Amino acid sequence: MEETERGVMTERSGLRTPPAWAMPGNRWTPWVFWPLLCWSITLLVWRISDGASTVRILVAAGLILVFGSLLAANRAARRKQN
């Protein structure tokens, strides 16, 4: 949004194109998210074996869901591009 002379915010015309590295299906995504997914699985196993609280176990499980979803979405986007 841009500010006009009177201080009123107006919307910019036209859409910004995102940078190339932020587009869906990038090649760097698996290099980042696979290690994070493995770390999250290790954390979940550690939390369960240590007898941690339910909240800590759910946080680790949530991380697995997030990184797994991001990897699946990236793979789908790459298949769509090809």
Side-chain angles (χ1 to χ4, degrees):
M1 298 194 125
E2 294 180 343
E3 191 171 342
T4 62
E5 293 173 15
R6 294 190 198 155
V8 178
M9 298 298 281
T10 59
E11 227 174 283
R12 291 183 184 175
S13 59
L15 297 174
R16 289 186 350 192
T17 49
W21 60 267
M23 298 295 283
N26 281 308
R27 294 187 182 275
W28 62 266
T29 304
W31 290 98
V32 173
F33 291 135
W34 273 113
L36 289 172
L37 180 63
C38 293
W39 177 81
S40 298
I41 292 170
T42 304
L43 181 63
L44 179 64
V45 170
W46 179 40
R47 298 275 192 209
I48 292 172
S49 66
D50 195 33
S53 67
T54 305
V55 173
R56 290 181 178 220
I57 292 172
L58 288 176
V59 167
L63 287 173
I64 292 170
L65 287 174
V66 167
F67 295 130
S69 299
L70 289 171
L71 281 165
N74 184 43
R75 180 172 286 183
R78 288 191 65 185
R79 284 187 179 159
K80 195 175 190 180
Q81 287 175 355
N82 292 335

